[in-house]
PDB file of all heavy atoms in Angstrom:
ATOM      1  N   ALA A 397     -57.395 -41.779  43.625  1.00 58.00           N
ATOM      2  CA  ALA A 397     -58.044 -42.658  42.649  1.00 58.00           C
ATOM      3  C   ALA A 397     -58.883 -41.844  41.671  1.00 58.00           C
ATOM      4  O   ALA A 397     -58.933 -42.138  40.468  1.00 58.00           O
ATOM      5  CB  ALA A 397     -58.915 -43.681  43.379  1.00 58.00           C
ATOM      6  N   ALA A 398     -59.556 -40.783  42.167  1.00 56.00           N
ATOM      7  CA  ALA A 398     -60.359 -39.949  41.286  1.00 56.00           C
ATOM      8  C   ALA A 398     -59.482 -39.234  40.260  1.00 56.00           C
ATOM      9  O   ALA A 398     -59.854 -39.097  39.088  1.00 56.00           O
ATOM     10  CB  ALA A 398     -61.149 -38.931  42.114  1.00 56.00           C
ATOM     11  N   TRP A 399     -58.305 -38.785  40.706  1.00 49.00           N
ATOM     12  CA  TRP A 399     -57.383 -38.137  39.777  1.00 49.00           C
ATOM     13  C   TRP A 399     -56.889 -39.126  38.720  1.00 49.00           C
ATOM     14  O   TRP A 399     -56.801 -38.800  37.533  1.00 49.00           O
ATOM     15  CB  TRP A 399     -56.215 -37.549  40.549  1.00 49.00           C
ATOM     16  CG  TRP A 399     -55.048 -37.139  39.676  1.00 49.00           C
ATOM     17  CD1 TRP A 399     -53.816 -37.702  39.636  1.00 49.00           C
ATOM     18  CD2 TRP A 399     -55.038 -36.086  38.718  1.00 49.00           C
ATOM     19  NE1 TRP A 399     -53.039 -37.063  38.716  1.00 49.00           N
ATOM     20  CE2 TRP A 399     -53.762 -36.065  38.124  1.00 49.00           C
ATOM     21  CE3 TRP A 399     -55.991 -35.159  38.292  1.00 49.00           C
ATOM     22  CZ2 TRP A 399     -53.393 -35.155  37.140  1.00 49.00           C
ATOM     23  CZ3 TRP A 399     -55.635 -34.256  37.297  1.00 49.00           C
ATOM     24  CH2 TRP A 399     -54.347 -34.254  36.738  1.00 49.00           C
ATOM     25  N   ALA A 400     -56.586 -40.341  39.155  1.00 55.00           N
ATOM     26  CA  ALA A 400     -56.126 -41.350  38.200  1.00 55.00           C
ATOM     27  C   ALA A 400     -57.212 -41.663  37.178  1.00 55.00           C
ATOM     28  O   ALA A 400     -56.948 -41.816  35.985  1.00 55.00           O
ATOM     29  CB  ALA A 400     -55.703 -42.617  38.945  1.00 55.00           C
ATOM     30  N   LYS A 401     -58.474 -41.757  37.656  1.00 55.00           N
ATOM     31  CA  LYS A 401     -59.565 -42.038  36.715  1.00 55.00           C
ATOM     32  C   LYS A 401     -59.732 -40.893  35.726  1.00 55.00           C
ATOM     33  O   LYS A 401     -59.912 -41.112  34.520  1.00 55.00           O
ATOM     34  CB  LYS A 401     -60.873 -42.248  37.486  1.00 55.00           C
ATOM     35  CG  LYS A 401     -62.018 -42.725  36.589  1.00 55.00           C
ATOM     36  CD  LYS A 401     -63.360 -42.691  37.302  1.00 55.00           C
ATOM     37  CE  LYS A 401     -63.926 -41.293  37.301  1.00 55.00           C
ATOM     38  NZ  LYS A 401     -65.355 -41.243  37.688  1.00 55.00           N
ATOM     39  N   MET A 402     -59.657 -39.656  36.224  1.00 56.00           N
ATOM     40  CA  MET A 402     -59.794 -38.519  35.328  1.00 56.00           C
ATOM     41  C   MET A 402     -58.681 -38.506  34.279  1.00 56.00           C
ATOM     42  O   MET A 402     -58.903 -38.202  33.112  1.00 56.00           O
ATOM     43  CB  MET A 402     -59.790 -37.223  36.135  1.00 56.00           C
ATOM     44  CG  MET A 402     -60.311 -36.002  35.373  1.00 56.00           C
ATOM     45  SD  MET A 402     -59.131 -35.261  34.240  1.00 56.00           S
ATOM     46  CE  MET A 402     -58.004 -34.491  35.397  1.00 56.00           C
ATOM     47  N   SER A 403     -57.447 -38.874  34.688  1.00 56.00           N
ATOM     48  CA  SER A 403     -56.338 -38.912  33.739  1.00 56.00           C
ATOM     49  C   SER A 403     -56.588 -39.945  32.647  1.00 56.00           C
ATOM     50  O   SER A 403     -56.277 -39.720  31.472  1.00 56.00           O
ATOM     51  CB  SER A 403     -55.031 -39.226  34.474  1.00 56.00           C
ATOM     52  OG  SER A 403     -54.743 -38.236  35.441  1.00 56.00           O
ATOM     53  N   LEU A 404     -57.190 -41.064  33.046  1.00 51.00           N
ATOM     54  CA  LEU A 404     -57.487 -42.107  32.062  1.00 51.00           C
ATOM     55  C   LEU A 404     -58.555 -41.649  31.076  1.00 51.00           C
ATOM     56  O   LEU A 404     -58.428 -41.837  29.861  1.00 51.00           O
ATOM     57  CB  LEU A 404     -57.937 -43.392  32.772  1.00 51.00           C
ATOM     58  CG  LEU A 404     -56.845 -44.204  33.474  1.00 51.00           C
ATOM     59  CD1 LEU A 404     -57.480 -45.327  34.283  1.00 51.00           C
ATOM     60  CD2 LEU A 404     -55.869 -44.779  32.466  1.00 51.00           C
ATOM     61  N   VAL A 405     -59.637 -41.050  31.597  1.00 52.00           N
ATOM     62  CA  VAL A 405     -60.721 -40.667  30.701  1.00 52.00           C
ATOM     63  C   VAL A 405     -60.314 -39.479  29.827  1.00 52.00           C
ATOM     64  O   VAL A 405     -60.817 -39.322  28.711  1.00 52.00           O
ATOM     65  CB  VAL A 405     -62.020 -40.350  31.471  1.00 52.00           C
ATOM     66  CG1 VAL A 405     -62.500 -41.583  32.216  1.00 52.00           C
ATOM     67  CG2 VAL A 405     -61.839 -39.184  32.418  1.00 52.00           C
ATOM     68  N   ARG A 406     -59.399 -38.630  30.318  1.00 53.00           N
ATOM     69  CA  ARG A 406     -58.904 -37.564  29.457  1.00 53.00           C
ATOM     70  C   ARG A 406     -58.169 -38.135  28.260  1.00 53.00           C
ATOM     71  O   ARG A 406     -58.216 -37.593  27.153  1.00 53.00           O
ATOM     72  CB  ARG A 406     -57.970 -36.624  30.236  1.00 53.00           C
ATOM     73  CG  ARG A 406     -58.705 -35.628  31.110  1.00 53.00           C
ATOM     74  CD  ARG A 406     -57.728 -34.748  31.864  1.00 53.00           C
ATOM     75  NE  ARG A 406     -57.000 -33.861  30.982  1.00 53.00           N
ATOM     76  CZ  ARG A 406     -55.706 -33.947  30.711  1.00 53.00           C
ATOM     77  NH1 ARG A 406     -54.991 -34.918  31.258  1.00 53.00           N
ATOM     78  NH2 ARG A 406     -55.124 -33.085  29.909  1.00 53.00           N
ATOM     79  N   ALA A 407     -57.435 -39.244  28.501  1.00 48.00           N
ATOM     80  CA  ALA A 407     -56.747 -39.889  27.389  1.00 48.00           C
ATOM     81  C   ALA A 407     -57.726 -40.595  26.460  1.00 48.00           C
ATOM     82  O   ALA A 407     -57.485 -40.725  25.259  1.00 48.00           O
ATOM     83  CB  ALA A 407     -55.729 -40.901  27.929  1.00 48.00           C
ATOM     84  N   LYS A 408     -58.869 -41.031  27.007  1.00 48.00           N
ATOM     85  CA  LYS A 408     -59.835 -41.790  26.213  1.00 48.00           C
ATOM     86  C   LYS A 408     -60.784 -40.879  25.446  1.00 48.00           C
ATOM     87  O   LYS A 408     -61.082 -41.104  24.279  1.00 48.00           O
ATOM     88  CB  LYS A 408     -60.638 -42.711  27.133  1.00 48.00           C
ATOM     89  CG  LYS A 408     -61.705 -43.530  26.415  1.00 48.00           C
ATOM     90  CD  LYS A 408     -62.503 -44.346  27.417  1.00 48.00           C
ATOM     91  CE  LYS A 408     -63.617 -45.123  26.703  1.00 48.00           C
ATOM     92  NZ  LYS A 408     -64.462 -45.860  27.651  1.00 48.00           N
ATOM     93  N   VAL A 409     -61.279 -39.814  26.102  1.00 52.00           N
ATOM     94  CA  VAL A 409     -62.282 -38.936  25.510  1.00 52.00           C
ATOM     95  C   VAL A 409     -61.830 -37.488  25.651  1.00 52.00           C
ATOM     96  O   VAL A 409     -61.552 -37.034  26.758  1.00 52.00           O
ATOM     97  CB  VAL A 409     -63.653 -39.118  26.194  1.00 52.00           C
ATOM     98  CG1 VAL A 409     -64.687 -38.218  25.522  1.00 52.00           C
ATOM     99  CG2 VAL A 409     -64.087 -40.569  26.157  1.00 52.00           C
ATOM    100  N   THR A 410     -61.749 -36.775  24.541  1.00 53.00           N
ATOM    101  CA  THR A 410     -61.387 -35.362  24.563  1.00 53.00           C
ATOM    102  C   THR A 410     -62.622 -34.539  24.256  1.00 53.00           C
ATOM    103  O   THR A 410     -63.265 -34.716  23.216  1.00 53.00           O
ATOM    104  CB  THR A 410     -60.305 -35.061  23.516  1.00 53.00           C
ATOM    105  OG1 THR A 410     -59.155 -35.856  23.808  1.00 53.00           O
ATOM    106  CG2 THR A 410     -59.923 -33.592  23.555  1.00 53.00           C
ATOM    107  N   LEU A 411     -63.005 -33.642  25.162  1.00 56.00           N
ATOM    108  CA  LEU A 411     -64.176 -32.798  25.004  1.00 56.00           C
ATOM    109  C   LEU A 411     -63.748 -31.341  25.065  1.00 56.00           C
ATOM    110  O   LEU A 411     -62.772 -31.003  25.738  1.00 56.00           O
ATOM    111  CB  LEU A 411     -65.192 -33.102  26.112  1.00 56.00           C
ATOM    112  CG  LEU A 411     -65.674 -34.559  26.178  1.00 56.00           C
ATOM    113  CD1 LEU A 411     -66.536 -34.766  27.404  1.00 56.00           C
ATOM    114  CD2 LEU A 411     -66.449 -34.918  24.920  1.00 56.00           C
ATOM    115  N   PRO A 412     -64.460 -30.453  24.395  1.00 55.00           N
ATOM    116  CA  PRO A 412     -64.017 -29.060  24.316  1.00 55.00           C
ATOM    117  C   PRO A 412     -64.114 -28.298  25.618  1.00 55.00           C
ATOM    118  O   PRO A 412     -63.335 -27.379  25.844  1.00 55.00           O
ATOM    119  CB  PRO A 412     -64.945 -28.457  23.253  1.00 55.00           C
ATOM    120  CG  PRO A 412     -66.165 -29.323  23.280  1.00 55.00           C
ATOM    121  CD  PRO A 412     -65.676 -30.703  23.590  1.00 55.00           C
ATOM    122  N   ASN A 413     -65.065 -28.637  26.487  1.00 60.00           N
ATOM    123  CA  ASN A 413     -65.255 -27.824  27.695  1.00 60.00           C
ATOM    124  C   ASN A 413     -65.475 -28.680  28.935  1.00 60.00           C
ATOM    125  O   ASN A 413     -66.146 -28.281  29.864  1.00 60.00           O
ATOM    126  CB  ASN A 413     -66.436 -26.872  27.495  1.00 60.00           C
ATOM    127  CG  ASN A 413     -67.721 -27.627  27.140  1.00 60.00           C
ATOM    128  OD1 ASN A 413     -67.659 -28.820  26.834  1.00 60.00           O
ATOM    129  ND2 ASN A 413     -68.851 -26.950  27.185  1.00 60.00           N
ATOM    130  N   GLY A 414     -64.903 -29.865  28.971  1.00 66.00           N
ATOM    131  CA  GLY A 414     -65.065 -30.743  30.131  1.00 66.00           C
ATOM    132  C   GLY A 414     -64.450 -32.093  29.843  1.00 66.00           C
ATOM    133  O   GLY A 414     -63.594 -32.238  28.967  1.00 66.00           O
ATOM    134  N   TYR A 415     -64.917 -33.095  30.575  1.00 62.00           N
ATOM    135  CA  TYR A 415     -64.420 -34.437  30.307  1.00 62.00           C
ATOM    136  C   TYR A 415     -65.483 -35.448  30.688  1.00 62.00           C
ATOM    137  O   TYR A 415     -66.466 -35.149  31.366  1.00 62.00           O
ATOM    138  CB  TYR A 415     -63.113 -34.704  31.051  1.00 62.00           C
ATOM    139  CG  TYR A 415     -63.214 -34.709  32.563  1.00 62.00           C
ATOM    140  CD1 TYR A 415     -63.452 -35.900  33.252  1.00 62.00           C
ATOM    141  CD2 TYR A 415     -63.047 -33.547  33.302  1.00 62.00           C
ATOM    142  CE1 TYR A 415     -63.537 -35.920  34.631  1.00 62.00           C
ATOM    143  CE2 TYR A 415     -63.121 -33.554  34.679  1.00 62.00           C
ATOM    144  CZ  TYR A 415     -63.363 -34.743  35.339  1.00 62.00           C
ATOM    145  OH  TYR A 415     -63.435 -34.766  36.703  1.00 62.00           O
ATOM    146  N   CYS A 416     -65.283 -36.674  30.257  1.00 65.00           N
ATOM    147  CA  CYS A 416     -66.223 -37.753  30.531  1.00 65.00           C
ATOM    148  C   CYS A 416     -65.905 -38.367  31.883  1.00 65.00           C
ATOM    149  O   CYS A 416     -64.779 -38.794  32.138  1.00 65.00           O
ATOM    150  CB  CYS A 416     -66.138 -38.806  29.429  1.00 65.00           C
ATOM    151  SG  CYS A 416     -67.225 -40.221  29.709  1.00 65.00           S
ATOM    152  N   GLY A 417     -66.866 -38.409  32.761  1.00 59.00           N
ATOM    153  CA  GLY A 417     -66.651 -38.958  34.094  1.00 59.00           C
ATOM    154  C   GLY A 417     -66.979 -40.423  34.215  1.00 59.00           C
ATOM    155  O   GLY A 417     -66.939 -40.975  35.316  1.00 59.00           O
ATOM    156  N   ALA A 418     -67.298 -41.058  33.095  1.00 58.00           N
ATOM    157  CA  ALA A 418     -67.635 -42.481  33.145  1.00 58.00           C
ATOM    158  C   ALA A 418     -66.381 -43.310  33.374  1.00 58.00           C
ATOM    159  O   ALA A 418     -65.273 -42.908  33.000  1.00 58.00           O
ATOM    160  CB  ALA A 418     -68.303 -42.900  31.834  1.00 58.00           C
ATOM    161  N   PRO A 419     -66.513 -44.462  34.033  1.00 52.00           N
ATOM    162  CA  PRO A 419     -65.367 -45.358  34.167  1.00 52.00           C
ATOM    163  C   PRO A 419     -64.771 -45.661  32.803  1.00 52.00           C
ATOM    164  O   PRO A 419     -65.480 -45.757  31.798  1.00 52.00           O
ATOM    165  CB  PRO A 419     -65.963 -46.610  34.815  1.00 52.00           C
ATOM    166  CG  PRO A 419     -67.182 -46.122  35.517  1.00 52.00           C
ATOM    167  CD  PRO A 419     -67.723 -45.011  34.670  1.00 52.00           C
ATOM    168  N   VAL A 420     -63.448 -45.791  32.756  1.00 47.00           N
ATOM    169  CA  VAL A 420     -62.777 -45.956  31.476  1.00 47.00           C
ATOM    170  C   VAL A 420     -63.200 -47.247  30.775  1.00 47.00           C
ATOM    171  O   VAL A 420     -63.117 -47.370  29.553  1.00 47.00           O
ATOM    172  CB  VAL A 420     -61.246 -45.912  31.681  1.00 47.00           C
ATOM    173  CG1 VAL A 420     -60.773 -47.179  32.366  1.00 47.00           C
ATOM    174  CG2 VAL A 420     -60.529 -45.702  30.351  1.00 47.00           C
ATOM    175  N   GLN A 421     -63.679 -48.218  31.560  1.00 46.00           N
ATOM    176  CA  GLN A 421     -64.097 -49.487  30.951  1.00 46.00           C
ATOM    177  C   GLN A 421     -65.476 -49.387  30.304  1.00 46.00           C
ATOM    178  O   GLN A 421     -65.895 -50.293  29.585  1.00 46.00           O
ATOM    179  CB  GLN A 421     -64.124 -50.602  32.015  1.00 46.00           C
ATOM    180  CG  GLN A 421     -62.781 -50.874  32.663  1.00 46.00           C
ATOM    181  CD  GLN A 421     -62.547 -50.006  33.880  1.00 46.00           C
ATOM    182  OE1 GLN A 421     -63.274 -49.042  34.113  1.00 46.00           O
ATOM    183  NE2 GLN A 421     -61.513 -50.346  34.649  1.00 46.00           N
ATOM    184  N   THR A 422     -66.209 -48.271  30.556  1.00 52.00           N
ATOM    185  CA  THR A 422     -67.578 -48.156  30.067  1.00 52.00           C
ATOM    186  C   THR A 422     -67.596 -47.911  28.563  1.00 52.00           C
ATOM    187  O   THR A 422     -66.867 -47.050  28.056  1.00 52.00           O
ATOM    188  CB  THR A 422     -68.292 -46.987  30.771  1.00 52.00           C
ATOM    189  OG1 THR A 422     -68.263 -47.225  32.179  1.00 52.00           O
ATOM    190  CG2 THR A 422     -69.748 -46.884  30.301  1.00 52.00           C
ATOM    191  N   ASP A 423     -68.430 -48.667  27.859  1.00 58.00           N
ATOM    192  CA  ASP A 423     -68.622 -48.422  26.434  1.00 58.00           C
ATOM    193  C   ASP A 423     -69.695 -47.354  26.266  1.00 58.00           C
ATOM    194  O   ASP A 423     -70.773 -47.433  26.849  1.00 58.00           O
ATOM    195  CB  ASP A 423     -69.066 -49.713  25.724  1.00 58.00           C
ATOM    196  CG  ASP A 423     -67.949 -50.748  25.687  1.00 58.00           C
ATOM    197  OD1 ASP A 423     -66.778 -50.326  25.628  1.00 58.00           O
ATOM    198  OD2 ASP A 423     -68.245 -51.952  25.749  1.00 58.00           O
ATOM    199  N   CYS A 424     -69.391 -46.342  25.465  1.00 63.00           N
ATOM    200  CA  CYS A 424     -70.329 -45.252  25.233  1.00 63.00           C
ATOM    201  C   CYS A 424     -71.080 -45.496  23.933  1.00 63.00           C
ATOM    202  O   CYS A 424     -70.458 -45.642  22.890  1.00 63.00           O
ATOM    203  CB  CYS A 424     -69.587 -43.921  25.177  1.00 63.00           C
ATOM    204  SG  CYS A 424     -70.687 -42.510  24.946  1.00 63.00           S
ATOM    205  N   GLU A 425     -72.420 -45.513  24.029  1.00 57.00           N
ATOM    206  CA  GLU A 425     -73.230 -45.750  22.840  1.00 57.00           C
ATOM    207  C   GLU A 425     -73.690 -44.449  22.205  1.00 57.00           C
ATOM    208  O   GLU A 425     -74.393 -44.461  21.202  1.00 57.00           O
ATOM    209  CB  GLU A 425     -74.448 -46.603  23.197  1.00 57.00           C
ATOM    210  CG  GLU A 425     -75.328 -45.967  24.272  1.00 57.00           C
ATOM    211  CD  GLU A 425     -76.431 -46.908  24.738  1.00 57.00           C
ATOM    212  OE1 GLU A 425     -76.105 -47.956  25.327  1.00 57.00           O
ATOM    213  OE2 GLU A 425     -77.595 -46.564  24.479  1.00 57.00           O
ATOM    214  N   TYR A 426     -73.257 -43.309  22.825  1.00 55.00           N
ATOM    215  CA  TYR A 426     -73.692 -42.025  22.294  1.00 55.00           C
ATOM    216  C   TYR A 426     -72.524 -41.357  21.560  1.00 55.00           C
ATOM    217  O   TYR A 426     -71.402 -41.352  22.037  1.00 55.00           O
ATOM    218  CB  TYR A 426     -74.192 -41.115  23.418  1.00 55.00           C
ATOM    219  CG  TYR A 426     -75.276 -41.753  24.241  1.00 55.00           C
ATOM    220  CD1 TYR A 426     -75.009 -42.262  25.509  1.00 55.00           C
ATOM    221  CD2 TYR A 426     -76.576 -41.857  23.744  1.00 55.00           C
ATOM    222  CE1 TYR A 426     -76.004 -42.856  26.265  1.00 55.00           C
ATOM    223  CE2 TYR A 426     -77.582 -42.453  24.494  1.00 55.00           C
ATOM    224  CZ  TYR A 426     -77.291 -42.954  25.754  1.00 55.00           C
ATOM    225  OH  TYR A 426     -78.277 -43.547  26.493  1.00 55.00           O
ATOM    226  N   ALA A 427     -72.815 -40.743  20.434  1.00 50.00           N
ATOM    227  CA  ALA A 427     -71.760 -40.138  19.631  1.00 50.00           C
ATOM    228  C   ALA A 427     -71.497 -38.697  20.038  1.00 50.00           C
ATOM    229  O   ALA A 427     -70.365 -38.276  20.172  1.00 50.00           O
ATOM    230  CB  ALA A 427     -72.140 -40.208  18.153  1.00 50.00           C
ATOM    231  N   ASN A 428     -72.573 -37.896  20.233  1.00 52.00           N
ATOM    232  CA  ASN A 428     -72.381 -36.464  20.426  1.00 52.00           C
ATOM    233  C   ASN A 428     -73.002 -35.858  21.676  1.00 52.00           C
ATOM    234  O   ASN A 428     -72.491 -34.850  22.161  1.00 52.00           O
ATOM    235  CB  ASN A 428     -72.920 -35.700  19.201  1.00 52.00           C
ATOM    236  CG  ASN A 428     -72.108 -36.012  17.957  1.00 52.00           C
ATOM    237  OD1 ASN A 428     -70.901 -35.985  17.997  1.00 52.00           O
ATOM    238  ND2 ASN A 428     -72.796 -36.326  16.867  1.00 52.00           N
ATOM    239  N   PRO A 429     -74.094 -36.350  22.207  1.00 58.00           N
ATOM    240  CA  PRO A 429     -74.816 -35.587  23.248  1.00 58.00           C
ATOM    241  C   PRO A 429     -74.148 -35.647  24.626  1.00 58.00           C
ATOM    242  O   PRO A 429     -74.774 -36.019  25.607  1.00 58.00           O
ATOM    243  CB  PRO A 429     -76.183 -36.245  23.251  1.00 58.00           C
ATOM    244  CG  PRO A 429     -75.925 -37.649  22.873  1.00 58.00           C
ATOM    245  CD  PRO A 429     -74.804 -37.606  21.885  1.00 58.00           C
TER     246      PRO A 429
END
Side-chain angles (χ1 to χ4, degrees):
W399 167 247
K401 187 190 81 166
M402 196 281 288
S403 299
L404 286 172
V405 298
R406 281 179 68 249
K408 179 183 178 184
V409 182
T410 300
L411 302 173
N413 57 348
Y415 65 92
C416 178
V420 72
Q421 299 89 347
T422 302
D423 291 329
C424 182
E425 58 187 65
Y426 305 104
N428 294 313

